[in-house]
Amino acid sequence: MIQYDILRGPVVTEKSTLQREQFNQVTLKVAKDANRVEIKNAVEKAFNAQVKQVRTLQVKGKIKQRGRIIGKKKDWKKAVVTLMPGQRIDFFEGV
């Protein structure tokens, strides 16, 4: 896989913002079939930052209902990437 196929985008929540500020961790949405080594290599190549640790988890899609019609959002994979001290990834710098 190419690193741009693995990394889908940042997850911007209150918890991920606190993790970025306090623990130097970045939360990313990644491809479902990517493993930790591939995610680490993709982050290092795409952002030129050294990665200390990668933790992954499967997120189940929520069931949504509108009237009688019931649907389900897609399942996806989330990766919490811990960066080495002194390293930073700024997605929204200058916004």
Side-chain angles (χ1 to χ4, degrees):
M1 283 184 135
I2 302 170
Q3 70 249 20
Y4 298 108
D5 292 336
I6 294 172
L7 304 177
R8 302 291 166 102
V11 177
V12 182
T13 59
E14 289 183 32
K15 183 177 181 179
S16 67
T17 305
L18 289 173
Q19 285 178 330
R20 184 175 59 224
E21 293 170 357
Q22 294 178 355
F23 304 112
N24 202 21
Q25 295 176 338
V26 179
T27 306
L28 301 168
K29 191 173 189 178
V30 295
K32 282 184 74 172
D33 56 345
N35 61 27
R36 293 176 187 206
V37 176
E38 291 174 339
I39 295 168
K40 178 183 176 185
N41 292 336
V43 170
E44 287 179 347
K45 286 181 183 177
F47 300 110
N48 294 327
Q50 294 178 349
V51 175
K52 181 177 181 183
Q53 179 183 17
V54 176
R55 294 181 294 159
T56 60
L57 59 131
Q58 299 285 338
V59 180
K60 302 293 182 188
K62 294 182 179 181
I63 296 175
K64 295 290 184 176
Q65 181 175 352
R66 185 169 179 169
R68 294 183 301 174
I69 300 169
I70 297 174
K72 182 178 179 290
K73 291 193 173 189
K74 290 184 178 180
D75 298 339
W76 54 285
K77 191 171 191 175
K78 178 165 63 170
V80 179
V81 178
T82 305
L83 301 173
M84 295 294 270
Q87 300 290 315
R88 277 190 77 135
I89 296 176
D90 291 323
F91 293 111
F92 305 108
E93 186 174 321
V95 174

